[in-house]
C-alpha cells in the first residue's frame, strides 16, 4: 500500500473512542511520546507552537478525577446536581490510561483564533497517531476545565481547551 492509501485509511478510521471501550493495559511510553511528538508537528503561524500539554497518569490522574468531581459538585446547585454525571467524571478519567490537558498559549503576536486552530491541528495529529497505533482516544471540553487553572498551572495568557483521553483497545 502506498503512503497516500495508508494516510487515507487512517483518516477514514479516525474517530472518538470513549473510555468505556478501553482495556486495562498500559499504553507504552514510546507510543505516548510518538503521539505527543506528532502533535508538535502541526502547522503554526510564526512558529509560536501555542500548544501546552500536561500528561496525567497514575496518582496524578486519580487526583485530577477527584478534583474535577469536587469542582462539579461545588459548582452545581443542589437541584441540578446529577450523581450519574459526578460518577461519570471519575469513571472516564480513571478508565483512561492517560489523560492529557490541552492548553493554548496565546503569544500576543497573532489573532487568538489562529493559535486555537494550531492547537486543534495538533490534537488532530494526536487523533491520527492514536488511530495508527490502535489507541482509543477522544477530546472532551467540559466547562469545568476552566476551573483547573491552578492544577494545570495555567498562566494569564493561556486557556485550557479540554482533556484528551487515551486508552488501549482490545
Amino acid at each position: 500500500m502506498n503512503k497516500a492509501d495508508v494516510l487515507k485509511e487512517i483518516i477514514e478510521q479516525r474517530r472518538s473512542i470513549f473510555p468505556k471501550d478501553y482495556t486495562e493495559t498500559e499504553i507504552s511510553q514510546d507510543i505516548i511520546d510518538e503521539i505527543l511528538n506528532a502533535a508538535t508537528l502541526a502547522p503554526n503561524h510564526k512558529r509560536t507552537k501555542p500548544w501546552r500539554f500536561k500528561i496525567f497518569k497514575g496518582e496524578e490522574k486519580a487526583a485530577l478525577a477527584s478534583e474535577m468531581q469536587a469542582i462539579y459538585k461545588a459548582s452545581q446547585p443542589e437541584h441540578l446536581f446529577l450523581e450519574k454525571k459526578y460518577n461519570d467524571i471519575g469513571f472516564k478519567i480513571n478508565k483512561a490510561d492517560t489523560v492529557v490537558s490541552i492548553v493554548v498559549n496565546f503569544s500576543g503576536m497573532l489573532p487568538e483564533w489562529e493559535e486555537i486552530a494550531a492547537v486543534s491541528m495538533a490534537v488532530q495529529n494526536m487523533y491520527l497517531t492514536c488511530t495508527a497505533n490502535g489507541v482509543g482516544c477522544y477530546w472532551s471540553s467540559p466547562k469545568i476545565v476552566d476551573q483547573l487553572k491552578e492544577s494545570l498551572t495555567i498562566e494569564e495568557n493561556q486557556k485550557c481547551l479540554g482533556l484528551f483521553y487515551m486508552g488501549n483497545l482490545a
Side-chain angles (χ1 to χ4, degrees):
M1 197 180 301
N2 68 36
K3 287 180 184 180
D5 289 337
V6 170
L7 178 60
K8 181 180 177 210
E9 183 178 320
I10 292 169
I11 291 170
E12 288 172 347
Q13 291 176 1
R14 191 227 50 86
R15 66 191 191 286
S16 292
I17 301 173
F18 303 99
K20 68 179 181 54
D21 296 317
Y22 301 165
T23 67
E24 300 297 320
T25 60
E26 192 173 333
I27 302 169
S28 77
Q29 189 60 49
D30 287 345
I31 290 180
I32 291 170
D33 292 345
E34 182 180 337
I35 292 164
L36 293 172
N37 183 60
T40 67
L41 301 175
N44 56 103
H45 192 191
K46 296 194 179 188
R47 298 182 183 166
T48 61
K49 298 182 181 184
W51 42 80
R52 301 293 182 270
F53 302 115
K54 182 174 181 180
I55 299 169
F56 293 87
K57 288 182 73 75
E59 290 179 19
E60 279 190 322
K61 185 175 57 106
L64 175 68
S66 295
E67 180 180 5
M68 287 187 63
Q69 285 177 310
I71 291 169
Y72 171 72
K73 191 171 193 173
S75 65
Q76 292 301 307
E78 193 174 321
H79 68 284
L80 294 177
F81 177 82
L82 299 172
E83 190 74 29
K84 181 182 181 340
K85 184 169 183 173
Y86 175 86
N87 291 334
D88 281 351
I89 291 167
F91 171 80
K92 287 189 276 190
I93 293 171
N94 287 312
K95 183 78 166 116
D97 173 70
T98 305
V99 177
V100 180
S101 63
I102 303 165
V103 174
V104 59
N105 182 70
F106 299 112
S107 68
M109 298 187 326
L110 304 165
E112 288 186 357
W113 75 265
E114 286 190 35
E115 292 182 312
I116 292 170
V119 172
S120 299
M121 287 186 275
V123 173
Q124 177 70 349
N125 284 358
M126 291 167 67
Y127 261 109
L128 296 173
T129 307
C130 283
T131 300
N133 284 287
V135 172
C137 63
Y138 91 104
W139 181 1
S140 175
S141 53
K143 178 118 182 84
I144 61 176
V145 297
D146 291 341
Q147 298 177 52
L148 293 173
K149 279 190 110 155
E150 280 187 37
S151 57
L152 297 179
T153 58
I154 294 178
E155 299 169 15
E156 284 303 311
N157 63 321
Q158 298 177 339
K159 178 175 176 54
C160 182
L161 300 179
L163 301 172
F164 193 75
Y165 295 77
M166 297 186 291
N168 277 321
L169 301 173

